[in-house]
């Protein structure tokens, strides 16, 4: 019997980073371990304000550590607070999101706790009391099932890969003041530049509209923006490496082997040939749509639906039809 | 100034991956190997740091079997000065790998130790920051470019929803991701020179692995898709399918 801890991140002052998926998954793992799930949030003063949102995803308690020095992520600060709580809590497993923050934080926790770390899990189960995870390797060209021989089992989970199941019971929110010593921190953020207001990051988007070299020129991106806007909220723009290398789009948008790995509900690839390194980043999308004038482009081999033709003719029509549909429903 | 780059030899990103009969390993027959792509970016930034300072050296370290020599020669051909091969078999447990590297490098006086942000085979994204904790160094992950200012490194990182400029005191570990500086292609002269550069082999100090492969599987093939039609006239049918069949919009 063991409890499970879900670390929940906040971003730009809000609960984020697929928090609900992490808490819901922790609660499922806790049931399998015969224990209960607990959520942990860190932030500045007032961080508990949004924590009630987490109450219905199966955690019995939601502890919010409030300290002004923790209002923004500090690797050293967050790691020290979490490690302390994990040591005290005697958890069977500790879960967090495989976001930029989680990827930075999780290996530090692993080294401090001296336990192995499974990152980017797409599946997790408890077999004879031990955690077994499944995760993609070779950028999705294979999947590995791994058994973790340590307590706690430390796992980061891939955003969008787990359901955020709600539960009837409500967890109790409490706050505490963590002990931190900012003077000892050696990593200091000098400057943060946010992306455009309301922009959604590809790694978290539920829908992605991606453009490749077939777009011909960066000035044509308004066609993709129109489709993004027609599709509603939670939609991000993505890009192939060819257009990132050409300087048309920022690296943050690149999908693939040397860009981001994404698993949205819908991925629309426009003017992208579908090189193996691009597919590595998006092949686990639930539904893939490809628009390409070359009927032999490899992207059609993974696409659920394709249209062969000139994207400059197809995109405006597609945006208009979807906008009309959304307006009607 | 001395910069150490930890690199890993991995299957080429073009390679088709198959699971072998054991069910817990990949079939290595016919697989072509390369230096992991992010590690090449790390080598490039290390070489630039040396060139910028006008002095210093770039030393490569890898933990792998004898065939990893080839990857080290590639880095030497790009311009690194020396290479060390810790002979052993790394596995999925990144902490065990980090411990092996830390056993060797703990006492190093190198102000900067660079890692790739992730290795293109197991994609664990963990060895760099683990190594940093084990050796008591500060660490910044996902760095696309950096500059050195006295006893500090100023690093640029890309995170969800924006970019960050982060300052870190040396000695530090940075994990490197794709940035504005493409890895240089080794010249013929570089390849010739690499043959004469020091490449030392020694037995790796091994640490027990606590992450066991239960099974590997190849991904389920995506069901064959369909071409909905040609040109803009196919749009209404696509929208209908997305709505009614895929329930994606
Ligand atoms: C180590 C390594 C890592 C890599 N990592 C990545 C990565 O992370 N992400 C990535 O994307 N790539 C990556 N690549 C690069 C990859 O191999 C391809 O070069 C790249 O994906 C091609 O981008 P593209 O599809 O936009 O361009 P292209 O391959 O040039 O394809 C353009 C497509 O547009 C179509 N087209 C042109 N005009 C029109 C039109 N008017 N209407 C409709 N269709 C049109 C063409 O038919 C063509 O299929 C990597 C390569 C290597 C070696
Ligand atoms: N066996 C190894 N030898 C040397 N460096 C390694 C090894 N494995 C991983 N690394 C380094 O750690 C980085 C991240 O690897 P990983 O955590 O496995 O994704 C790689 O890009 C390398 O810089």
């Amino acid at each position: 019997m063991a409890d499970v801890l879900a670390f929940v991140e906040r971003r730009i002052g809000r609960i984020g980073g697929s928090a609900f998926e992490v808490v819901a998954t922790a609660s499922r793992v806790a049931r399998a371990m015969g224990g209960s799930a607990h959520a942990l949030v860190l932030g500045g003063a007032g961080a508990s304000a949004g924590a009630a949102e987490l109450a219905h995803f199966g955690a019995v308690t939601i502890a919010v550590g409030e300290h002004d020095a923790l209002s923004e992520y500090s690797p050293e600060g967050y790691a020290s607070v979490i490690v302390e709580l994990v040591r005290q809590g005697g958890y069977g497993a500790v879960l967090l999101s495989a976001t930029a923050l989680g990827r930075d934080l999780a290996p530090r926790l692993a080294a401090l706790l001296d336990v192995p770390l499974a990152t980017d899990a797409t599946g997790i189960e408890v077999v004879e009391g031990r955690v077994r995870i499944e995760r993609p390797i070779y950028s999705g060209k294979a999947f590995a099932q791994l058994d973790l021989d340590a307590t706690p089992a430390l796992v980061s989970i891939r955003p969008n890969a787990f359901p955020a199941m709600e539960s009837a019971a409500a967890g109790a929110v409490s706050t505490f003041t963590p002990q931190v010593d900012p003077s000892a921190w050696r990593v200091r953020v000098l400057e943060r530049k946010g992306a455009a207001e309301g922009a959604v990051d590809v790694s978290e988007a539920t829908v992605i509209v991606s453009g490749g070299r077939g777009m011909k020129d960066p000035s044509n991106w308004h066609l993709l923006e129109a489709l993004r806007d027609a599709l509603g909220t939670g939609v991000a723009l993505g890009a192939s490496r060819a257009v990132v290398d050409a300087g048309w789009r920022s690296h943050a948008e690149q999908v693939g082997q040397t860009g981001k790995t994404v698993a949205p509900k819908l991925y629309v690839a426009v003017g992208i040939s579908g090189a193996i390194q691009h597919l590595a980043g998006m092949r686990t999308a639930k539904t893939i749509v490809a628009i390409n004038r070359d009927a032999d482009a490899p992207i059609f081999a993974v696409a659920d639906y394709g249209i062969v033709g000139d994207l400059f003719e197809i995109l405006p029509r597609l945006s208009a039809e979807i906008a009309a549909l959304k307006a009607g429903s | 100034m001395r910069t150490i780059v930890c690199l890993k030899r991995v299957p080429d990103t073009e390679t088709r991956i198959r699971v072998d009969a054991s069910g817990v390993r990949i079939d290595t027959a016919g697989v072509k190997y390369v230096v992991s792509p992010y590690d090449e970016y790390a080598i490039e930034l290390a070489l630039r740091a040396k060139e910028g300072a006008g002095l210093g050296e770039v030393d490569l370290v890898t933990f792998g079997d004898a065939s990893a020599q080839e990857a080290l020669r590639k880095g030497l051909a790009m311009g690194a000065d020396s290479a060390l091969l810790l002979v052993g078999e790394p596995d999925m447990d990144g902490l065990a790998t980090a411990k092996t590297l830390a056993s060797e490098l703990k006492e190093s006086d190198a102000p900067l130790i660079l890692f790739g942000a992730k290795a293109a085979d197991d994609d664990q994204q963990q060895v760099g920051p683990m190594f940093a904790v084990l050796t008591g160094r500060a660490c910044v992950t996902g760095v696309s470019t950096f500059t050195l200012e006295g006893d500090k490194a100023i690093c640029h990182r890309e995170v969800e929803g924006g970019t960050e400029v982060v300052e870190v005191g040396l000695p530090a570990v940075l994990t490197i991701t794709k940035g504005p500086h493409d890895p240089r292609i080794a010249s013929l002269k570089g390849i010739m020179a690499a043959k004469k550069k020091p490449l030392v082999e020694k037995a790796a100090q091994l640490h027990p692995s606590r992450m066991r492969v239960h099974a590997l599987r190849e991904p389920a093939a995506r069901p064959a898709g369909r071409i909905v039609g040609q040109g803009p006239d196919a749009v209404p049918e696509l929208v209908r399918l997305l709505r009614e069949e895929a329930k994606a919009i």
Side-chain angles (χ1 to χ4, degrees):
Chain A
M1 230 186 74
D3 286 357
V4 177
L5 182 70
F7 171 73
V8 169
E9 67 184 77
R10 298 171 83 250
R11 197 176 306 140
I12 328 167
R14 285 190 303 113
I15 299 280
S18 51
F20 306 122
E21 296 159 30
V22 178
V23 177
T25 306
S27 120
R28 182 168 62 80
V29 172
R31 269 198 308 280
M33 290 187 150
S36 34
H38 302 271
L40 170 66
V41 184
L42 296 178
S48 60
E53 285 180 65
L54 289 172
H56 284 284
F57 292 87
V60 177
T61 68
I62 299 146
V64 187
E66 294 188 349
H67 193 297
D68 280 336
L70 301 178
S71 61
E72 300 285 356
Y73 173 63
S74 135
E76 290 146 312
Y78 275 46
S80 68
V81 173
I82 297 169
V83 161
E84 195 47 44
L85 289 172
V86 171
R87 286 201 177 117
Q88 287 167 12
Y91 300 102
V94 176
L95 268 52
L96 67 171
S97 300
T99 53
L101 188 158
R103 281 195 292 270
D104 186 272
L105 176 63
R108 299 175 195 260
L109 299 178
L112 290 166
L113 293 165
D114 193 24
V115 293
L117 163 67
T119 59
D120 234 356
T122 51
I124 178 164
E125 56 180 334
V126 179
V127 181
E128 287 161 13
R130 281 196 189 283
V131 170
R132 173 175 296 163
I133 65 99
E134 182 161 76
R135 60 184 302 274
I137 53 173
Y138 301 99
S139 18
K141 290 185 226 170
F143 283 83
Q145 285 187 348
L146 302 171
D147 288 332
L148 294 174
D149 289 328
T151 306
L154 182 60
V155 180
S156 73
I157 68 170
R158 173 172 285 191
N160 291 334
F162 292 86
M165 258 156 349
E166 295 199 39
S167 89
V173 179
S174 63
T175 57
F176 68 100
T177 309
Q179 298 284 315
V180 294
D181 177 14
S183 68
W185 301 347
R186 294 161 296 178
V187 177
R188 214 159 58 84
V189 177
L190 302 179
E191 190 186 323
R192 274 199 177 84
K193 274 206 220 87
E197 187 66 41
V200 180
D201 190 78
V202 279
S203 55
E204 291 179 346
T206 50
V207 177
I208 297 172
V209 175
S210 248
R213 188 142 49 195
M215 293 296 296
K216 296 270 179 326
D217 193 89
S219 66
N220 294 326
W221 245 258
H222 67 93
L223 294 169
L224 294 178
E225 286 161 6
L227 179 57
R228 172 196 65 191
D229 295 344
L231 283 163
T233 54
V235 187
L237 290 178
S240 74
R241 173 160 166 181
V243 305
V244 171
D245 283 356
W248 298 359
R249 303 299 298 179
S250 94
H251 178 61
E253 290 182 1
Q254 184 182 318
V255 171
Q257 183 99 43
T258 39
K260 298 210 171 104
T261 306
V262 299
K265 257 173 53 192
L266 174 64
Y267 189 89
V268 187
V270 185
I272 292 178
S273 59
I276 192 158
Q277 296 93 349
H278 189 81
L279 302 185
M282 44 63 78
R283 65 186 321 148
T284 56
K286 192 148 174 294
T287 302
I288 298 173
V289 171
I291 299 172
N292 197 304
R293 68 174 175 201
D294 173 8
D296 294 327
I299 191 76
F300 287 123
V302 299
D304 300 280
Y305 307 111
I307 298 185
V308 178
D310 184 3
L311 67 90
F312 296 101
E313 293 172 12
I314 295 164
L315 273 180
R317 179 88 182 264
L318 183 58
S319 304
E321 297 258 349
I322 290 177
L325 183 80
K326 297 255 172 183
S329 62
Chain B
M1 168 169 141
R2 200 161 105 84
T3 304
I4 294 174
V5 181
C6 289
L7 63 85
K8 190 173 189 191
R9 172 181 179 266
V10 301
D12 185 4
T13 56
E14 294 275 355
T15 308
R16 169 97 201 265
I17 298 292
R18 287 168 215 275
V19 177
D20 77 6
S22 74
V24 293
R25 278 183 301 270
I26 66 158
D27 183 354
T28 51
V31 171
K32 186 181 152 229
Y33 288 86
V34 296
V35 176
S36 185
Y38 290 113
D39 301 353
E40 286 196 334
Y41 283 100
I43 297 171
E44 177 61 32
L45 294 193
L47 293 171
R48 279 173 179 264
K50 171 182 158 180
E51 287 156 4
L55 79 172
E57 55 182 291
V58 174
D59 299 329
L60 309 176
V61 179
T62 196
F63 163 37
D65 63 21
S67 52
Q69 272 212 12
E70 170 203 347
L72 292 171
R73 288 282 176 216
K74 166 105 195 277
L76 293 171
M78 285 173 72
D81 299 285
S82 81
L84 172 63
L85 172 56
L86 302 171
V87 183
E89 294 269 351
D91 65 17
M92 290 276 180
D93 186 349
L95 187 58
T97 296
K99 285 179 178 174
T100 294
L101 295 170
S103 310
E104 179 63 34
L105 299 173
K106 190 154 185 125
E107 309 300 331
S108 167
D109 59 1
L112 266 186
I113 303 189
L114 306 188
F115 287 74
K118 66 174 170 187
D121 52 357
D122 59 24
D123 277 352
Q124 289 266 52
Q125 316 201 22
Q126 54 178 235
V127 174
M130 286 171 166
F131 172 92
V133 169
L134 295 170
T135 59
R137 290 160 177 261
C139 174
V140 182
T141 61
V143 174
S144 52
T145 161
F146 67 86
T147 52
L148 294 171
E149 286 178 16
D151 59 355
K152 294 196 173 86
I154 311 294
C155 310
H156 289 256
R157 1 175 19 228
E158 280 175 9
V159 294
E160 283 98 341
T163 58
E164 281 182 2
V165 182
V166 179
E167 175 190 276
V168 60
L170 304 179
V173 166
L174 310 183
T175 79
I176 306 299
T177 186
K178 176 173 181 272
H181 306 301
D182 279 340
R184 63 195 65 186
I185 312 280
S187 65
L188 191 58
K189 198 165 139 239
I191 294 169
M192 296 311 289
K195 294 188 174 140
K196 298 199 198 75
K197 290 180 178 171
L199 192 165
V200 175
E201 272 186 37
K202 65 194 261 195
Q205 192 161 323
L206 300 175
H207 295 267
S209 169
R210 288 174 292 167
M211 194 184 289
R212 275 183 305 105
V213 179
H214 174 70
L216 297 186
R217 67 173 175 88
E218 291 167 20
R222 281 191 86 91
R226 72 182 108 145
I227 302 287
V228 177
Q230 313 276 327
D233 292 342
V235 165
E237 176 63 0
L238 171 66
V239 172
R240 188 190 69 77
L241 287 167
L242 287 175
R243 179 76 161 193
E244 292 170 14
E245 190 177 82
K247 303 200 185 334
I249 57 175

